[in-house]
Amino acid sequence: MSTKHQTWGWMLAVDFFFAGMGGAMLVIASVIDLFIAPNQVSLLGNIVGPLCMCVGCGFLILELGRPFQAWRVFMNPKAILTFGAWMMTIAIISGFVYASFAINHSLIFWREWDFLRQLLAVVNIITGLVVATYPGVLLGRHKGRPFWVGPGIMGLFLLSSVVTGLALHFLCAMILPIENSVLSSLPKLIAALLLLQGLLWAGYLWIKATGTTAAETTSAQRWINGDLAKGFKISFILIGTLVPMIIVLIPVSIFQGIAALLVLFGGVMMRMQTVTSGKDRTFLPGELQYRSRLPQGDEKFLKKAWM
């Protein structure tokens, strides 16, 4: 029987990547503006942040299907998906308006309204944190998915969003630099967060493999020595974490740019593998027996009847 309606695909992983990274970019720019130094973030970075969330929304709509009915996601106030959709919408609008303050043009008549800029920065921090954390919250609530369940996945996704957001801000500052930008001091912070990311993932897998249910242990073993181990150890840990953690500290632009790109690659791979792990699930009593007795060849009819 077809299982597409039971699992999520690569487009959701891409949505998680772009949305989380974009939300973190809003938070980073706004924190720098409010608490460190105003107007010290590249205009390109400020625009790319909400643009990334728009890309994420596009992939989410495609993954959920029925794009012309996507508006329905905003209509259920009790659903966590509705809450996330509204937060992302507010973050996108606030982010683009906030970015406009760096554009020196007569049409931007609000450019001198510092109070509005600071208010938008606060909105960006709140909504950006929600958007950056939301994918982990969404996954952690799935009690039937042993690798996802629990608050740990939320922290891992938030940390990855911050690291990838810093890396993309750094790349934007290299492409469209501004004078005396505080972003030039980001390499050490990126390296420190990459080290923390590696340690937290090691701890997460250790907890899943040793101190939880049998289903969680089995799911974690796929990352340690199973079919997901190669992708995790090589693509995410080695290429996406350890290598950029080292070369980002080399004070040469080309090396730091490559390190930032590798961080983004690692962020994508982590989400791809995490979404793939959702195929492991805890079945209800008798569910497998029920599925084994369903007629073969009528999957499309049954799927249409259930939806």
Side-chain angles (χ1 to χ4, degrees):
M1 181 174 178
S2 174
T3 59
K4 185 180 186 305
H5 61 293
Q6 302 174 34
T7 59
W8 290 330
W10 64 269
M11 285 188 289
L12 189 74
V14 175
D15 161 50
F16 285 167
F17 171 72
F18 279 104
M21 180 172 62
M25 291 182 75
L26 291 190
V27 175
I28 293 164
S30 300
V31 168
I32 292 175
D33 188 10
L34 290 177
F35 304 107
I36 301 176
N39 303 319
Q40 289 295 300
V41 177
S42 170
L43 170 62
L44 181 60
N46 283 339
I47 294 176
V48 167
L51 189 61
C52 283
M53 286 188 284
C54 290
V55 174
C57 285
F59 278 100
L60 177 61
I61 291 172
L62 292 175
E63 171 65 16
L64 294 177
R66 300 183 180 182
F68 296 108
Q69 297 185 33
W71 57 271
R72 292 177 180 271
V73 76
F74 294 94
M75 307 307 294
N76 186 359
K78 295 182 179 180
I80 186 173
L81 193 61
T82 298
F83 175 75
W86 276 110
M87 287 294 101
M88 188 179 296
T89 301
I90 296 172
I92 290 172
I93 296 172
S94 177
F96 277 125
V97 177
Y98 175 79
S100 70
F101 280 85
I103 301 175
N104 189 9
H105 195 282
S106 59
L107 292 177
I108 313 298
F109 60 87
W110 56 86
R111 189 171 181 270
E112 302 300 327
W113 298 358
D114 285 341
F115 174 76
L116 177 60
R117 177 179 57 80
Q118 294 175 2
L119 178 61
L120 289 172
V122 173
V123 173
N124 286 348
I125 292 174
I126 297 172
T127 58
L129 278 174
V130 171
V131 173
T133 310
Y134 172 76
V137 174
L138 182 64
L139 297 184
R141 287 165 55 90
H142 282 73
K143 297 180 180 180
R145 313 287 173 166
F147 190 79
W148 296 349
V149 66
I153 199 71
M154 178 182 68
L156 293 174
F157 266 78
L158 176 59
L159 178 58
S160 180
S161 295
V162 172
V163 173
T164 53
L166 284 169
L168 191 51
H169 261 307
F170 188 75
L171 283 174
C172 291
M174 293 179 66
I175 297 171
L176 189 64
I178 61 175
E179 191 175 350
N180 299 322
S181 173
V182 297
L183 295 179
S184 59
S185 61
L186 286 183
K188 292 182 180 179
L189 178 58
I190 293 174
L193 291 178
L194 286 173
L195 176 60
L196 178 61
Q197 177 176 259
L199 293 174
L200 289 182
W201 265 102
Y204 185 78
L205 289 176
W206 178 77
I207 291 173
K208 285 287 183 180
T210 62
T212 53
T213 64
E216 289 177 85
T217 298
T218 301
S219 185
Q221 288 299 327
R222 294 182 62 193
W223 290 67
I224 297 172
N225 52 23
D227 60 305
L228 297 178
K230 189 174 181 179
F232 171 65
K233 295 175 182 178
I234 297 178
S235 298
F236 177 55
I237 293 297
L238 179 60
I239 300 176
T241 302
L242 295 179
V243 172
M245 182 179 69
I246 296 171
I247 65 175
V248 76
L249 296 175
I250 302 174
V252 179
S253 296
I254 184 65
F255 286 110
Q256 293 179 335
I258 293 173
L261 290 173
L262 292 179
V263 171
L264 301 184
F265 171 76
V268 174
M269 292 306 299
M270 183 274 278
R271 287 160 178 80
M272 288 286 190
Q273 297 226 149
T274 303
V275 171
T276 301
S277 290
K279 294 179 181 179
D280 296 331
R281 57 177 297 240
T282 304
F283 291 94
L284 297 173
E287 183 178 355
L288 290 177
Q289 184 180 14
Y290 161 76
R291 293 183 179 279
S292 68
R293 295 180 178 179
L294 289 175
Q296 299 298 315
D298 296 326
E299 291 86 350
K300 293 183 178 180
F301 166 77
L302 290 171
K303 179 180 178 181
K304 184 176 180 181
W306 288 346
M307 292 182 65

